Amino acid sequence: MNEQEVQELAVGEESGVAVAGVDCPPLVEFTVQAAVGMHMGLFRATGGGLGEMTPQQQNMKQAMLANYINNCWASLIRGDDDYVLNTFNAIHDILSTESPLCIMHRVFHVGSLLLSVNLWESLCENVGVHFAAEHQNKDHGPWVDAIRNFLRVSLEPIASDILSKSFDDGHHCEGPKLENITEEDPLQPIFNLQHA
């Protein structure tokens, strides 16, 4: 899937629905770092998964993303991860009526779309030219860092656009609010996806 197809699928541009945008940089950053982490996790484990993917690779990335979000959800409830707490406090400062549960669902939805973007050709053209062929592998640290940075920079505007259009005036969030999040069960995951 290319970048334009992902954006159209995510925000329903084909239907002509216009939605007011909401800018929430902490949500964009959280979503992008989650997607980049899943891309990089599979790449570091297998050396692949950054271009055309098999259904198995796509399922693996989605299962990894679901697991990551479940862990963040549990950490938010327990209050034991400063990154998660600080991120959700920053999101709450901008989107005070949104439930962290709804936010996690958005992160999964948009993150899953970001996992389907094929940036391999662009990566090779923009980053690959700076590395000799023998250094373009999952064990060469500078190559891995360059890929991570490229993905972050490439996926951020896509995520920002999709997320800003995903909030509309008709949404009435009824999930648990941030101030009551400690009442939730950290052992109850949001998602139950498994790698097939």
Side-chain angles (χ1 to χ4, degrees), residues 31-188:
T31 304
V32 170
Q33 69 80 29
V36 169
M38 301 314 108
H39 277 303
M40 296 308 298
L42 184 61
F43 177 71
R44 291 301 303 264
T46 68
L50 294 177
E52 290 294 324
M53 289 179 285
T54 66
Q56 183 181 19
Q57 289 172 320
Q58 186 66 30
N59 288 343
M60 185 181 297
K61 283 185 182 181
Q62 281 195 303
M64 291 166 47
L65 180 61
N67 186 56
Y68 175 74
I69 293 171
N70 286 338
N71 288 334
C72 289
W73 175 249
S75 290
L76 184 62
I77 294 167
R78 289 189 308 261
D80 63 1
D81 184 311
D82 288 341
Y83 172 72
V84 173
L85 293 172
N86 292 338
T87 297
F88 274 81
N89 283 326
I91 292 169
H92 181 70
D93 287 345
I94 298 167
L95 303 169
S96 60
T97 62
E98 290 295 314
S99 163
L101 183 60
C102 288
I103 296 297
M104 294 291 193
H105 279 276
R106 287 176 198 265
V107 170
F108 182 75
H109 173 72
V110 175
S112 293
L113 292 171
L114 296 178
L115 293 177
S116 69
V117 176
N118 182 346
L119 295 169
W120 185 251
E121 187 175 310
S122 182
L123 173 78
C124 291
E125 290 172 2
N126 292 291
V127 179
V129 296
H130 301 289
F131 290 86
E134 65 270 14
H135 292 134
Q136 294 182 21
N137 67 70
K138 66 184 180 77
D139 298 318
H140 185 65
W143 172 244
V144 171
D145 291 341
I147 290 172
R148 183 182 300 108
N149 291 335
F150 174 82
L151 289 173
R152 184 185 50 75
V153 168
S154 297
L155 295 176
E156 199 165 90
I158 299 169
S160 180
D161 186 52
I162 294 170
L163 285 165
S164 73
K165 294 175 182 176
S166 73
F167 294 93
D168 64 25
D169 296 332
H171 177 71
H172 300 288
C173 192
E174 297 186 20
K177 300 300 180 205
L178 185 61
E179 54 272 7
N180 302 323
I181 202 68
T182 58
E183 297 170 11
E184 298 299 309
D185 181 0
L187 300 177
Q188 182 62 45

